[in-house]
């Protein structure tokens, strides 16, 4: 399964393996399939690999710089989840210098897309700046 080069299929197979849902759990092989899909530009896979690094989900160790790299790839393709992670990384200075202006800009984009959490965070940043 997944050998045909279809990034979505590779990603979904990887998720099944990582989660152990209806198949024997194999996080290492699952991550490899997810990363293969991510390298082909599949944004859900890029965001997933980024979140594995962000939270340090095995087999990954926590690495905000690696997370940021994957989130940037997905965000460049308008993945809203990746943009939210990038906003959080900038807002809280996780692996990068804190940059509330960049965070505010990203949260504003998300807010404009109707993301409720981003609306609240954007409002909090605005209120704290006054």
């Amino acid at each position: 399964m997944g050998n045909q080069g279809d990034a979505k299929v590779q990603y979904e197979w990887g998720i099944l393996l990582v989660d152990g849902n209806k198949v024997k759990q194999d996080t290492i092989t699952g991550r490899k399939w997810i990363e293969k899909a991510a390298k082909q530009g599949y944004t859900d896979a890029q965001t997933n690999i980024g979140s594995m690094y962000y939270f340090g989900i095995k087999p990954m160790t926590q690495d905000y710089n690696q997370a940021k790299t994957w989130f940037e790839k997905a965000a460049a393709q308008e993945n809203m989840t990746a943009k939210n992670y990038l906003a959080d990384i900038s807002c809280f200075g996780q692996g990068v210098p804190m940059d509330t202006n960049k965070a505010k800009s990203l949260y504003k984009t998300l807010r404009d897309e109707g993301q409720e959490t981003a609306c609240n965070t954007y409002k909090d940043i605005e209120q704290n700046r006054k």
Side-chain angles (χ1 to χ4, degrees):
M1 182 176 286
N3 287 324
Q4 289 76 33
D6 184 325
K8 182 178 180 186
V9 172
Q10 292 168 350
Y11 170 70
E12 290 172 354
W13 177 238
I15 292 295
L16 287 173
L17 289 169
V18 167
D19 292 344
N21 188 12
K22 300 180 183 179
V23 298
K24 183 178 181 204
Q25 187 174 34
D26 184 345
T27 57
I28 293 171
T29 302
R31 184 209 49 88
K32 287 178 184 175
W33 280 110
I34 296 168
E35 191 166 354
K36 186 172 184 167
K39 287 179 179 177
Q40 292 177 65
Y42 191 66
T43 64
D44 288 345
Q46 291 169 333
T47 302
N48 191 282
I49 290 291
S51 68
M52 288 176 151
Y53 279 115
Y54 186 84
F55 293 107
I57 296 171
K58 291 187 181 202
M60 314 301 221
T61 55
Q62 190 171 49
D63 184 334
Y64 291 126
N65 288 320
Q66 280 292 324
K68 180 178 174 273
T69 297
W70 285 108
F71 292 145
E72 286 174 337
K73 290 176 188 220
Q77 297 178 73
E78 300 304 318
N79 184 292
M80 292 296 127
T81 302
K83 284 184 179 185
N84 195 69
Y85 277 117
L86 284 174
D88 289 347
I89 286 170
S90 295
C91 186
F92 302 112
Q94 296 168 311
V96 298
M98 188 181 298
D99 186 346
T100 53
N101 288 328
K102 182 175 182 174
K104 183 180 166 191
S105 174
L106 286 164
Y107 286 130
K108 182 181 182 309
T109 300
L110 292 162
R111 181 199 67 185
D112 294 347
E113 292 288 326
Q115 302 252 343
E116 189 64 34
T117 304
C119 292
N120 295 333
T121 307
Y122 180 83
K123 188 169 81 176
D124 291 344
I125 291 173
E126 277 294 287
Q127 289 175 346
N128 289 331
R129 294 180 115 192
K130 293 179 181 178

